[in-house]
Amino acid sequence: MSSRFDTSNDTDREQGLGAAALAIRRGDLVVVPTDTVYGVGCDAFDPDAVTRLLEAKGRGRDMPVPVLISAVITLDALTTGIPDWARVLVDRYWPGPLTVVCAHQSSLQWDLGDTRGTVAVRMPLHDITLELIQRTGPLAVSSANTTGKPAATNADDVIDMLGDVVAVVLDAGETRGEQPSTIVDCTGDRPRILREGAIPAREIHRVLADTGHAFEDDEAADDTGADGDDKPLA
């Protein structure tokens, strides 16, 4: 049975953050709010915890888990070969509903699923989750739902679906919206949208227009994370 904390209350907020940080260190799953939907997460560097996360959602390794970070500088610690145009997007939209898929640092000891050498990274615009990540380090986070069901936008829905498998629920009320993050593949020579979400493709096109880079759209989206039903989050 999970412990639920009302983060709108200062006392519960601090107790909840402490309990969530301890649970993550123990390898347990926790539920966190984001600026898109709720996510279920664990220590990104704990392969057993990541496996339990995938099992809790009913997903296979072919749908790897994205990573949430609390500072832009962490992107360089986790990834390599980031193109200049990707940094333009990060500077414009982080923290916020943008997930970037980059080549990960080969030295990292983690197992997020069958990532094919990449990792999906996002810095969410939510003070509760950012503070938790500051205490724990990067979190592997997927949308807080079981496969085939809508991503949860409130703690009640999360508990209905995942209450038996998560240790802590940080309840921050209803999320701001139901749209997941927009996912941009930054591993090629040109940007490619894997999923259009809270940030419209046309807006990203405008932001990149001054960089001189060609733009490529792709309506197909694989799950790398946690923002929508079986689509990458964060």
Side-chain angles (χ1 to χ4, degrees):
M1 188 66 180
S2 57
S3 298
R4 180 175 180 173
F5 296 89
D6 179 2
T7 61
S8 66
N9 176 289
D10 288 343
T11 299
D12 276 5
R13 173 187 172 124
E14 183 57 35
Q15 290 179 346
L17 285 168
L22 179 59
I24 288 167
R25 287 194 291 272
R26 288 176 174 171
D28 292 330
L29 306 182
V30 302
V31 171
V32 296
T34 78
D35 48 327
T36 53
V37 297
Y38 275 85
V40 56
C42 64
D43 182 351
F45 297 95
D46 184 338
D48 292 337
V50 172
T51 295
R52 286 192 291 273
L53 191 159
L54 291 171
E55 291 174 347
K57 285 179 58 70
R59 289 168 48 180
R61 288 177 52 81
D62 59 322
M63 302 174 76
V65 185
V67 172
L68 298 190
I69 61 177
S70 62
V72 174
I73 193 172
T74 307
L75 180 64
D76 287 298
L78 301 181
T79 68
T80 185
I82 306 170
D84 290 342
W85 53 262
R87 295 188 187 278
V88 170
L89 294 178
V90 166
D91 289 344
R92 172 67 175 81
Y93 292 111
W94 278 11
L98 170 74
T99 298
V100 293
V101 177
C102 304
H104 71 70
Q105 293 280 1
S106 60
S107 60
L108 292 176
Q109 300 299 309
W110 61 7
D111 184 359
L112 302 169
D114 296 333
T115 64
R116 298 181 293 278
T118 66
V119 60
V121 185
R122 183 163 91 91
M123 182 179 174
L125 181 58
H126 202 291
D127 58 343
I128 297 295
T129 299
L130 290 177
E131 184 172 347
L132 178 62
I133 298 169
Q134 289 168 6
R135 299 186 186 196
T136 64
L139 297 179
V141 179
S142 182
S143 53
N145 62 295
T146 52
T147 298
K149 293 185 179 180
T153 58
N154 60 71
D156 288 336
D157 289 345
V158 174
I159 292 172
D160 286 344
M161 289 185 281
L162 298 170
D164 292 337
V165 296
V166 299
V168 175
V169 176
L170 297 179
D171 182 357
E174 195 78 18
T175 59
R176 300 175 198 173
E178 298 180 357
Q179 281 191 303
S181 65
T182 293
I183 305 169
V184 180
D185 183 351
C186 304
T187 62
D189 294 334
R190 298 182 295 176
R192 186 164 65 103
I193 290 183
L194 299 181
R195 181 185 67 196
E196 184 173 17
I199 304 170
R202 63 182 179 277
E203 182 178 334
I204 290 179
H205 187 109
R206 286 198 301 268
V207 170
L208 291 176
D210 293 335
T211 69
H213 289 279
F215 193 79
E216 181 180 349
D217 286 324
D218 188 348
E219 295 181 356
D222 295 325
D223 187 359
T224 40
D227 281 59
D229 179 28
D230 299 323
K231 298 287 193 297
L233 174 132

